[in-house]
Amino acid sequence: MRSLIVTLDGPAGSGKSTVARLLARRLDLEFLDTGAMYRGLTALCLDHGVDPGGEPKPIVALAEAHPLRFDWSQNPPRLYAGDLDITGRLRDEDVTENVSALASLTPVRQVLVRTQQEIGQEHVGLVTEGRDQGSVVFPKAQVKFYLDAQPHVRAKRRAQQLRDAGKPADEKKILEKIMARDERDSTRTHGPLICPDDAERIDTTDMSLEEVVDLLERKVNERVDMGDASRAGQEASS
């Protein structure tokens, strides 16, 4: 596995998780689903009677008492809170409705950002997706992308994702929630949803999943090859 961090940021429903998972497989890197971590902590709060959008202190205490970790031996990795596998809760409606409120809490984000950075130190080959990966968590990542798509397309994709998981999906309501979450995520104080200055923006509205993964794989390999050539040139001239 090569030493490389690739970040994929973007709004809800832009395909980050699926694209990141497939891209990691092609590049022989590990896949870090940071959105799952926020969803996992939200589920943990709901299941323990803690308000996900309330006072941060009990949420942070819950995160510390039940540390989130991935089982990297499975593909895609499964998420555990302590010894409990909570992967099946991540896309439940109550989690989706509350995750943005939890993610807006600065002390909570600080805890999860620290956890993500520790993962980055332990797993030097990563494709990581979220809303602040290239801007906050891994600002020195070698390759950064920002995936976006028209809201109605993102809503359609999220609805299909739910149906594929055997869950009900109202596309109109999903669209309303996506647009509301875009507003909250882009205006929060800590780790807002932005396109990093050094990230390449990819509009996936009219692209198939395979086309997106093909494009990103090609761009990553081009960047890595250019970096290798540049370093070789510097060594030869020194």
Side-chain angles (χ1 to χ4, degrees), residues 102-120:
L102 177 139
S104 69
L105 301 174
T106 297
V108 175
R109 295 195 69 84
Q110 290 172 337
V111 169
L112 292 186
V113 165
R114 185 166 62 247
T115 301
Q116 292 158 20
Q117 290 172 336
E118 290 170 354
I119 291 173

Side-chain angles (χ1 to χ4, degrees), residues 60-166:
V60 171
L62 199 58
E64 292 174 345
H66 305 272
L68 296 171
R69 63 179 180 83
F70 288 97
D71 179 357
W72 299 91
S73 68
Q74 302 191 52
N75 187 24
R78 298 191 69 82
L79 181 65
Y80 285 77
D83 295 327
L84 178 65
D85 184 346
I86 57 174
T87 310
R89 281 282 278 133
L90 301 182
R91 296 295 170 184
D92 287 349
E93 186 174 356
D94 60 341
V95 173
T96 298
E97 290 177 349
N98 286 280
V99 64
S100 187
L102 177 139
S104 69
L105 301 174
T106 297
V108 175
R109 295 195 69 84
Q110 290 172 337
V111 169
L112 292 186
V113 165
R114 185 166 62 247
T115 301
Q116 292 158 20
Q117 290 172 336
E118 290 170 354
I119 291 173
Q121 292 172 354
E122 296 169 359
H123 302 265
V124 295
L126 281 180
V127 176
T128 177
E129 68 84 23
R131 286 169 174 77
D132 60 354
Q133 295 304 288
S135 57
V136 174
V137 184
F138 300 109
K140 295 183 180 180
Q142 294 94 322
V143 185
K144 301 180 184 180
F145 297 108
Y146 185 90
L147 301 189
D148 204 354
Q150 291 297 316
H152 71 278
V153 172
R154 292 190 277 133
K156 183 177 181 180
R157 291 172 179 169
R158 178 55 57 83
Q160 188 59 53
Q161 186 180 42
L162 290 170
R163 294 185 188 111
D164 290 344

Side-chain angles (χ1 to χ4, degrees), residues 17-238:
S17 296
T18 304
V19 170
R21 175 169 51 81
L22 295 175
L23 181 63
R25 187 182 304 168
R26 290 205 193 171
L27 297 173
D28 191 26
L29 304 175
E30 290 179 327
F31 163 49
L32 175 57
D33 184 351
T34 67
M37 298 177 74
Y38 286 96
R39 286 177 170 271
L41 184 52
T42 300
L44 200 61
C45 288
L46 293 169
D47 294 346
H48 284 77
V50 175
D51 181 0
E55 169 61 37
K57 186 174 292 186
I59 302 175
V60 171
L62 199 58
E64 292 174 345
H66 305 272
L68 296 171
R69 63 179 180 83
F70 288 97
D71 179 357
W72 299 91
S73 68
Q74 302 191 52
N75 187 24
R78 298 191 69 82
L79 181 65
Y80 285 77
D83 295 327
L84 178 65
D85 184 346
I86 57 174
T87 310
R89 281 282 278 133
L90 301 182
R91 296 295 170 184
D92 287 349
E93 186 174 356
D94 60 341
V95 173
T96 298
E97 290 177 349
N98 286 280
V99 64
S100 187
L102 177 139
S104 69
L105 301 174
T106 297
V108 175
R109 295 195 69 84
Q110 290 172 337
V111 169
L112 292 186
V113 165
R114 185 166 62 247
T115 301
Q116 292 158 20
Q117 290 172 336
E118 290 170 354
I119 291 173
Q121 292 172 354
E122 296 169 359
H123 302 265
V124 295
L126 281 180
V127 176
T128 177
E129 68 84 23
R131 286 169 174 77
D132 60 354
Q133 295 304 288
S135 57
V136 174
V137 184
F138 300 109
K140 295 183 180 180
Q142 294 94 322
V143 185
K144 301 180 184 180
F145 297 108
Y146 185 90
L147 301 189
D148 204 354
Q150 291 297 316
H152 71 278
V153 172
R154 292 190 277 133
K156 183 177 181 180
R157 291 172 179 169
R158 178 55 57 83
Q160 188 59 53
Q161 186 180 42
L162 290 170
R163 294 185 188 111
D164 290 344
K167 302 179 185 296
D170 184 323
E171 198 167 314
K172 183 178 179 181
K173 289 184 178 179
I174 292 173
L175 176 58
E176 293 172 352
K177 291 176 181 177
I178 277 179
M179 296 183 71
R181 184 167 184 190
D182 285 352
E183 175 65 20
R184 289 194 301 269
D185 288 350
S186 61
T187 57
R188 67 185 175 223
T189 302
H190 186 79
L193 171 63
I194 62 171
C195 178
D197 292 338
D198 54 348
E200 182 169 357
R201 185 185 290 267
I202 308 292
D203 188 336
T204 69
T205 299
D206 298 319
M207 299 175 68
S208 68
L209 174 61
E210 186 170 353
E211 287 173 336
V212 176
V213 178
D214 286 346
L215 176 63
L216 267 56
E217 180 187 17
R218 184 171 70 251
K219 287 181 175 293
V220 170
N221 286 326
E222 288 173 354
R223 300 267 190 91
V224 171
D225 290 343
M226 288 176 61
D228 290 344
S230 176
R231 284 190 293 273
Q234 291 173 357
E235 292 172 356
S237 62
S238 62

